[in-house]
């Protein structure tokens, strides 16, 4: 069995192993990490040898920590990272490079249609009728997208929304409200098979699916990192928020979508969103404006160039061919707008 895991902010860990009699056998850990002293790698292999195959990530990491020499120094590697690679091997997890990725980047569409397309495309991936897909959104109008479990009245000021012509929609994933405007926001979705995140905890899957975009930002001179549970941050502040939804049916799939701030009008955002003091204190800041740090200022690049650079970075890493929303997918999405995402019943399902 073979498992790989890119440690967030670190290096690649590779594990090869067998299972005999319910225990790990012939365990070999490798990767492009740095580790001192040399015998520490042998200690890691020995710690995992004979471990029950049902040992969870915490238990495997504890075995490794207990076996390492006191002088051990790990760079780009963690005990937890090795443990995750083991669990991915046992789960027969796939890797990014195992798939033929498809890109969808089409003309601006309504907020409700974007919500519906996320559901339809990810369902198609789960059913095996569509390859894993990166979809870059273009917005036809300003919007607030609230999380699946958020209270509409607690999150949105309807007077402010009407004043600025902002449409309010509810997505299928959890998380917080996002304020978007055409030309000022970068939004993308990843619709991926369950197998890509097999062996990862829900929290670890966020970091794993965000790793490519951290590299893309780094190529543009932005040092960014994953900030648990679902943010992407820089020294200057938060620049993006992610959310996920697990789709059942077929082999299963994960929807992972991210909204990035390119050039947000903070005054307008505060006029539309009801951002409470508790949320501010949770983020360690007193001002909502400080929570949004636009990419325009950090890159000095037009929004379109930032998007093109992100797409190129993904293509260079994993390959990417251009695709489209099929007529059948669009018809199903439009029906979902009519029956679900465009209805007051869905938008106000948590009043």
């Amino acid at each position: 069995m073979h498992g790989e895991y890119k440690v967030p902010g670190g290096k690649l860990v590779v594990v090869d192993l067998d299972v005999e009699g319910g225990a790990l056998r012939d365990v070999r850990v490798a990767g492009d990490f740095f580790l001192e002293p040399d015998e520490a790698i042998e200690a890691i292999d020995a710690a995992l040898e004979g471990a029950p195959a049902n040992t969870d990530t915490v238990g495997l990491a504890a075995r490794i920590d207990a076996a390492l020499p006191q002088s051990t120094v790990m760079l780009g590697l963690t005990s937890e990272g090795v443990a995750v690679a083991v669990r991915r091997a046992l789960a027969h997890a796939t890797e990014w490079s195992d798939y033929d990725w498809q890109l969808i980047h089409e003309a601006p569409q309504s907020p409700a249609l974007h919500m519906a397309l996320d559901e339809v495309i990810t369902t198609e991936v789960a059913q095996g009728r569509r390859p894993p897909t990166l979809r870059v959104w273009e917005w036809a109008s300003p919007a607030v997208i609230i999380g699946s479990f958020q209270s509409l009245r607690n999150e949105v000021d309807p007077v402010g929304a009407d004043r600025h012509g902002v449409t309010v929609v509810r997505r299928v994933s959890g998380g917080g409200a996002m304020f978007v405007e055409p030309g000022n926001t970068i939004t993308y979705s990843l619709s991926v098979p369950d197998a890509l995140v097999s062996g990862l905890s829900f929290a670890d899957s966020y970091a794993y699916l965000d790793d490519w975009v951290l590299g893309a930002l780094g190529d543009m001179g932005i040092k960014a990192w994953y900030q648990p549970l679902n943010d992407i941050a820089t020294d200057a502040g938060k620049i993006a928020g992610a959310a996920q939804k697990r789709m059942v049916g077929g082999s299963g799939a994960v929807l992972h979508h991210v909204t990035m701030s390119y050039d947000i009008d903070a005054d307008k955002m505060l006029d539309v969103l009801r951002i409470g003091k508790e949320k501010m204190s949770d983020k360690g800041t007193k001002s909502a404006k400080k929570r949004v740090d636009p990419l325009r200022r950090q890159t000095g690049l037009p929004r379109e160039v930032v998007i093109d650079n992100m797409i190129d970075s993904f293509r260079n890493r994993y390959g990417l061919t251009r695709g489209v929303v099929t007529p059948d997918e669009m018809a199903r999405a439009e029906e979902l707008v009519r029956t679900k995402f465009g209805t007051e019943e869905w938008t106000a399902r948590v009043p």
Side-chain angles (χ1 to χ4, degrees):
M1 300 176 186
H2 179 86
E4 298 184 4
Y5 180 60
K6 170 73 163 50
V7 176
K11 299 292 186 178
L12 181 68
V13 182
V14 181
V15 175
D16 292 285
L17 56 83
D18 290 321
V19 175
E20 296 178 6
L24 308 187
R25 300 297 180 194
D26 298 324
V27 181
R28 293 292 179 268
V29 176
D32 59 355
F33 48 79
F34 300 91
L35 180 63
E36 294 289 348
D38 281 351
E39 54 266 28
I41 191 68
E42 298 171 0
I44 293 174
D45 291 345
L48 296 170
E49 190 72 22
N54 61 357
T55 307
D56 63 14
T57 301
V58 174
L60 292 171
R63 289 177 70 105
I64 295 169
D65 288 335
L68 288 172
Q70 288 189 350
S71 59
T72 297
V73 176
M74 294 180 171
L75 295 175
L77 175 70
T78 63
S79 299
E80 292 78 11
V82 176
V84 169
V86 170
R87 295 307 314 170
R88 284 178 60 76
L90 293 168
H92 300 284
T94 55
E95 306 299 332
W96 294 83
S97 57
D98 291 334
Y99 299 104
D100 295 323
W101 291 87
Q102 188 171 107
L103 169 69
I104 294 176
H105 188 193
E106 299 187 337
Q109 291 158 327
S110 71
L113 185 58
H114 278 306
M115 303 302 108
L117 284 170
D118 261 358
E119 180 169 321
V120 169
I121 288 171
T122 308
T123 299
E124 289 296 281
V125 172
Q127 296 292 340
R129 294 189 291 260
R130 159 176 283 282
T133 300
L134 167 65
R135 185 171 74 92
V136 179
W137 306 19
E138 296 293 345
W139 294 92
S141 61
V144 167
I145 307 96
I146 60 175
S148 181
F149 311 108
Q150 287 189 295
S151 162
L152 176 60
R153 69 167 66 100
N154 288 346
E155 298 298 326
V156 182
D157 183 332
V159 176
D162 288 344
R163 181 183 302 119
H164 298 291
V166 173
T167 301
V168 182
V169 291
R170 185 184 296 274
R171 61 181 184 267
V172 295
S173 62
M178 306 299 294
F179 172 74
V180 302
E181 294 183 286
N184 284 352
T185 310
I186 297 173
T187 307
Y188 67 86
S189 302
L190 283 170
S191 298
V192 307
D194 267 348
L196 184 63
V197 295
S198 292
L200 298 177
S201 68
F202 189 83
D204 285 340
S205 70
Y206 273 86
Y208 186 72
L209 295 176
D210 280 338
D211 187 69
W212 75 273
V213 81
L214 301 185
L217 291 170
D219 293 340
M220 288 181 276
I222 300 177
K223 182 181 179 181
W225 59 86
Y226 163 73
Q227 185 169 295
L229 170 65
N230 62 331
D231 288 347
I232 296 174
T234 70
D235 287 332
K238 173 183 172 180
I239 60 172
Q244 284 187 8
K245 175 67 176 179
R246 304 303 214 235
M247 299 294 190
V248 298
S251 298
V254 177
L255 168 65
H256 179 91
H257 41 202
V258 175
T259 294
M260 311 180 76
S261 304
Y262 177 74
D263 189 15
I264 298 299
D265 184 332
D267 289 329
K268 188 182 297 183
M269 179 182 72
L270 291 175
D271 200 30
V272 174
L273 293 183
R274 288 174 170 159
I275 302 177
K277 295 180 180 178
E278 184 66 24
K279 184 174 289 187
M280 291 298 96
S281 64
D282 179 60
K283 299 296 181 181
T285 180
K286 296 180 180 179
S287 169
K289 293 185 181 181
K290 293 180 180 178
R291 295 187 59 221
V292 181
D293 189 67
L295 285 170
R296 179 182 63 81
R297 184 168 69 250
Q298 294 195 61
T299 64
L301 299 172
R303 174 181 176 275
E304 294 74 16
V305 174
V306 173
I307 291 174
D308 287 344
N309 287 349
M310 290 170 57
I311 291 172
D312 287 344
S313 180
F314 192 103
R315 181 180 292 111
N316 292 337
R317 284 168 175 251
Y318 310 120
L320 192 63
T321 58
R322 194 69 181 240
V324 297
V325 176
T326 68
D328 178 66
E329 289 169 340
M330 183 59 74
R332 288 163 56 199
E334 290 172 343
E335 178 65 10
L336 276 177
V337 170
R338 188 184 69 81
T339 60
K340 180 177 179 180
F341 294 104
T343 68
E344 181 68 17
E345 182 182 9
W346 169 257
T347 302
R349 76 184 187 101
V350 182

